[in-house]
């Protein structure tokens, strides 16, 4: 499954989360680091949901850019 991941630059690196998986977050010093970490975090999160007998939410979130006056 492919989940939307939001990556944000922070004062010390990058953070990432998936809107479809509340509580699933990751951080890293570089964008590449955080992308690797969030992929691992998503896999771990899904594994935990399954181990608890909970439903794994399907990917639903999407993203787009819109123009706004400056």
């Amino acid at each position: 499954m492919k989940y939307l991941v939001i990556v944000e630059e922070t004062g010390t690196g990058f953070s990432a989360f998936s809107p479809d998986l509340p509580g699933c977050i990751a951080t890293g010093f570089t964008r590449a680091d955080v992308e690797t970490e969030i992929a691992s975090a998503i896999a771990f999160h899904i594994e935990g949901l399954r181990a608890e007998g909970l439903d794994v939410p399907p990917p639903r979130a999407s993203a787009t850019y819109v123009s706004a006056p400056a």
Side-chain angles (χ1 to χ4, degrees):
M1 284 188 271
K2 282 188 171 182
Y3 286 95
L4 174 69
V5 170
I6 305 299
V7 177
E8 299 174 313
E9 191 167 0
T10 69
T12 57
F14 293 84
S15 64
F17 68 95
S18 177
D20 291 320
L21 300 168
C24 186
I25 61 168
T27 61
F29 289 112
T30 67
R31 186 177 179 100
D33 289 341
V34 81
E35 288 177 9
T36 298
E37 293 299 320
I38 194 64
S40 295
I42 288 171
F44 184 72
H45 191 86
I46 289 171
E47 181 181 313
L49 290 171
R50 288 183 176 145
E52 294 292 321
L54 300 171
D55 292 332
V56 176
R60 294 186 182 180
S62 62
T64 190
Y65 284 94
V66 296
S67 297

